[in-house]
Amino acid sequence: MTTPTTETTSDPLGSTVSTSTTTSAKPSAAATARTSGGAFSLRQMVSSIPAALRKLDPRIMIKTPVMFLVEVGAAFTTVMAIISPSLFAWGIAIWLWLTVVFANLAEAVAEGRGRAQADTLRAARTTTTAARLDAGGHIEIVPATALRRDDRVRVRAGEVIPGDGDVIEGAATVDESAVTGESAPVIRESGGDRCAVTGGTRVLSDTIIVQITSEPGETFLDRMIALVEGATRQKTPNEIALNILLAVLTIIFLLVILNLQPLAIFSGARQSLIVLTALLVCLIPTTIGALLSAIGIAGMDRLVQRGVLARSGRAVEAAGDVSTLLLDKTGTITEGDRKTTGLLPVTGVSADDLARAARLSSLADETPEGRSVVTFAEERFPEQSAIAAPDEAEFVPFQAKTRMSAIVLPDGEKIVKGATNEVLAWVESHGGTVPADARTIADEVSAGGGTALVVATHTPENPARVLGVIRLSDIVKAGMPERFARLRAMGIRTVMITGDNRLTAQAIAAEAGVDDFLAEATPEDKLALIRREQEGGHLVAMTGDGTNDAPALAQADVGVAMNTGTSAAKEAGNMVDLDSDPTKLIEIVEIGKQLLITRGALTTFSIANDVAKYFAVIPAMFVAAFPGLAALNIMGLHSPESAILSAVIFNALVIIVLIPLALRGVRYRPQAAAKLLGHNLLVFGVGGLIIPFLGIKVIDLILTLIPGLN
Amino acid sequence: MAALIPGILQILLVFAALAISYRPLGDYMARVFTTTSHWRAERAIYRLGGINPDAEQGWRSYLRSLLWFTLVSLLLLYLIVRTQAFLPFSGGHTGLTPDQAWNTAVSFVTNTNWQSYSGEAAVGVTVQAVGLAVQNFLSAAVGLAVAVALFRGLARTGTAQLGNFWTDLVRGSVRILLPLSTVFAIVLLAGGVIQNLADPVTVHTLGGAVQHIPGGTVASQEAIKNLGTNGGGYFNANAAHPFENPSAWTNLLQVYLMLLIPVALTRTFGVMIGSKKHGYAILSAMGILYIGSLVGVVASELVNASGALHAAGAALEGKELRFGVIGSDLFAVSTTMTSTGATDAAHSSFTPLGGGLLVLNMVLGEISPGGVGSGMYGMLMIAILSVFIAGLMVGRTPEYLGKKIGPSQMKLASLAILVMPATVLIGTAIAFSLPSVRASLSTTGPHGLTELLYAFVSAANNNGSAFAGLSANTPVLNVMLGLVMLIGRFLPIILVLALASSFAEQRRVPDTAGTLPTHRPLFIGVMAGVALLVSALTFLPALALGPIAEALG
């Protein structure tokens, strides 16, 4: 993904496009850029004409062999028209040139949108200096472009972070709107999963030391600019395969034309070279050849509009093929925080007692779960809210090792709260006996999809005893079962990944409607699951943000890293979601599918079109020698000249007409493949057979109004 | 019109016979190519050739064996036909000229059986039985081997091995072609086909004319001629000759024999890839094209609005009355759709549209059901092309039977499809530019164009039938058509084996609801449509100047 940074002055066209279509009220640069795709306008097309003309350079054209051949044909017919001018010859020559220009226009329009986005991004890359720390901790001011991997820089409030890196000292609020379009500042701090900072973003408060993680020219912003500009666009495997097919078709039709003249001479119907060139251009797959690269660029553009940056088109294509989707439970399938939904006392304990203990133990607990216990207790037992925690109370925060938190009251009473096994063991080790229903209640909570927190108490005079269970429940996000059903219809299996135990995971999985789940998952389990799925031939997509997600992100076929995640995660994935919305995977898959469908649909359309063109051109060519062939002129075209010209004009105009479709993409509705095929085949296959008959006839009717063509 | 009912009954009889043999033969062939045990006779052959029959080969090795085998066959056959004068039982025939010997050797080694020589007038029993008939078996077995290697490529995962060429070749010959042709030779013998080593008998007819009645090992050759989709007749008149094809029912039997293995091979395919419904799907696509063509040809031969044909009730010129119009049409469609190339009627005498359809049958690429083995791998190339175009429209990168069609697969498959049109188009372009070739035509105008077009289409598709009218035994045509046959046969084989290997190396993508179903009617229609569209788009201009111009003129 290394690209030299393009420092060319921004294209005036690009900015025109940007201003003409920007409707967003969001102030940030990227947000503006993101909306610039949107609807397709005639102005966009007109403003891209100069760029389309510049692409007529044969050295550029040769990259699209089909269109290059058309250009050669156009040049050839122009020469022929100059040698022996006629309205017909000039008509063909002009329309062949227009065919090439229209093809270039498609690409130019698609690129123009990207360029507008790149310009706004480039504006964010304003830093020219960095405060680099040398080994002795002294600061030297160097150009940002001189920063290497592992350099350390100091960034103070109000300064722009000079390059991608990890915060290794301090914490700060950072405005990342330049990259994400999100204006609310985020906190970045050393250690943990919130340490990554992006070059071009601005520190709003405090001072941080950042260790640079990218080489010059390879920063996130550089890559993003290159991506939206299409500078790094490489042909994807499927695009290459399609190009091979188009090349082979072109060769076949070239041979058909080369073969036709000897046959025509034998038949006493020698053809003019202009007519043969016209037929060649009509037959080779110009429609898809002209639109293919625009389709690819537009596909990436659609992702960018949704705030997703794909490292390569290959990843977008793979997204269409995904058959297994790994989704983290928390934050993706369920609301980020679990909430208390019940206080369940064991036999012999009153609800009041449990509520008191649960509330007291949670007062100092600042976790969302802890706060929700307090809220729940106070809602159900209002009299409790009056009791304040004694000042001398000692709070023992939750520890991963003990899996419990505790509060020790001044009178020596100790209330503990935590995982079932640990708390019950604690009770037994403090002389208590575990009541029969304690474990039953906890298991029921788990089976119901909740998390059980057991509350127990121990006073100096009495043995420890269990009071009851707090039920914490995950709240499944609205609309999830519908989304998973839609995915299932697309042939995609969803697997929920969670650290919860099996029972809890099972219940939530059932409620959310996922196909499978991985409970008590460690990062290693996740990686193993991906490998297993891939062994079975599945393509796996997942999201992740933590450093420990990196191996799995790298292993997955489509790994979407959250922008809030660590540098390691972002480096490992092949897409970055600027909005950090894990459910966006579903949209990414749909965009991938839409891209492939558009390609297939226009290929089918392009090939099917040839039938009608034959019916226009063949009788026109040979009706003089074989009057009977007039029977093939089923469109009743006016004259041989008007028939051939009509076919050529149709061939050119169809490109223009289809540009919006190529940029927007064929509409995709999630449904079974067989249905999808039937529908698209009807529209683009059968439609592709019929439409040119009508189109050519209409053009012919218009042409007959031009005097002197006959 | 009175001929319609018995004609349709004849067709149904052949279809019924094919339906009966479909499963047993298809399953049997699958066992032949998957079993690990060897027959004693086979072991003897392997020992003789120093072959380890259980050693697997990668595609290059498989191809090398195939090409060496072909080269040796080619040289041997060339030598036999060149030195005929010195061989026993030659009936006084001399050796063929170098260009004709080249053409003949290539023709039989490529399973084409284009005959630039005239059967009874040029070659004796030895050449027929030791040279030509042997290649009838072996060239068909080579076709089977390539198809089976492709099946294995699609069935296997994560390997570069495609089987063993020699084992496939020997088993195809010993276990499939030999037993079947023995049985059917006897059946044909019972039906009146001759089988002797007698010299021609000279008789004086009642009219006082002198007639030479030839003998020969006809029945034994007739069976494999059809069974192996070879088509080279013992006599110049081919299956129109009463000694080759005495009656209406031997005619039907021959049609059955041509279709037998190519049709049953779809079952073998289904069994070997573990999805019989895919075998049915391929067969259905073949069937649509076949039946469509048959209906077209029968209609154009029966329905005539004017002139002599109208008076006769049908286009009887060039057809044998003992087969009837529909019997001849059935034979003609079958022979052009199976790459057999045997003829029981003069294709040149078919109505222009009927004759045009016969050309179209061949330019489909001999895939419906095509030649032994070659029809199957040809149709699979079409399936891959169809899956590529249609597959994209369901929003997945294309895959067939769980194998991805990426750039390298697309390159191989589309080049394999390109070979035939390219060879025909370039060949005819050159041929029409040569005055000497134009002089070989019996007539000018559209009909003459069709004669030459037919020759190149027939050669490139390894069909071997002739339109009649063209004097093909000229040095230029012998050399050119020989080259065309060679390219038309072996370039696709090379590409198909490479493709088989690239499939074998892949993992299998499991089916989901998002996978394009490649066995349902919709996709069957797409396959038939793609096959038709590709060939029609390629050959429409040439057909317009030939048969279509003649029909509409």
Side-chain angles (χ1 to χ4, degrees), chain A residues 237-238 241-242 244-245 252 256 259 263 267 320-321 490-491 534 536 538 593 596-597 604 614 628 673-674 677 680-681, chain B residues 385 389 392-397 404 407 410 418 425 428 432 449 507 510 512-516 520 526 537-538 541 552:
Chain A
N238 177 258
L242 187 53
I244 290 169
L245 174 66
I252 290 184
V256 167
N259 167 275
L263 265 63
S267 307
D321 280 352
M490 287 154 67
Q534 288 174 334
H538 289 282
K593 286 193 178 295
L596 294 171
I597 292 173
T604 308
Y614 262 137
L677 175 64
N680 286 330
L681 212 52
Chain B
L385 188 63
I389 298 170
L392 281 177
M393 282 197 289
V394 305
R396 292 271 291 253
T397 59
K404 283 282 172 206
M410 201 57 220
L418 172 69
L425 292 170
T428 46
F432 274 107
L449 189 140
R507 287 195 299 230
T512 67
T515 311
L516 170 73
R520 301 245 187 92
V526 172
L537 290 181
T538 311
L552 298 176

Side-chain angles (χ1 to χ4, degrees), chain B residues 412-426:
Chain B
L412 295 167
S414 58
L415 282 179
I417 291 171
L418 172 69
V419 170
M420 186 276 289
T423 320
V424 173
L425 292 170
I426 295 171

Side-chain angles (χ1 to χ4, degrees), chain A residues 547-566:
Chain A
T547 299
N548 55 15
D549 282 332
L553 277 171
Q555 179 72 30
D557 300 282
V558 177
V560 183
M562 300 294 104
N563 191 50
T564 51
T566 61

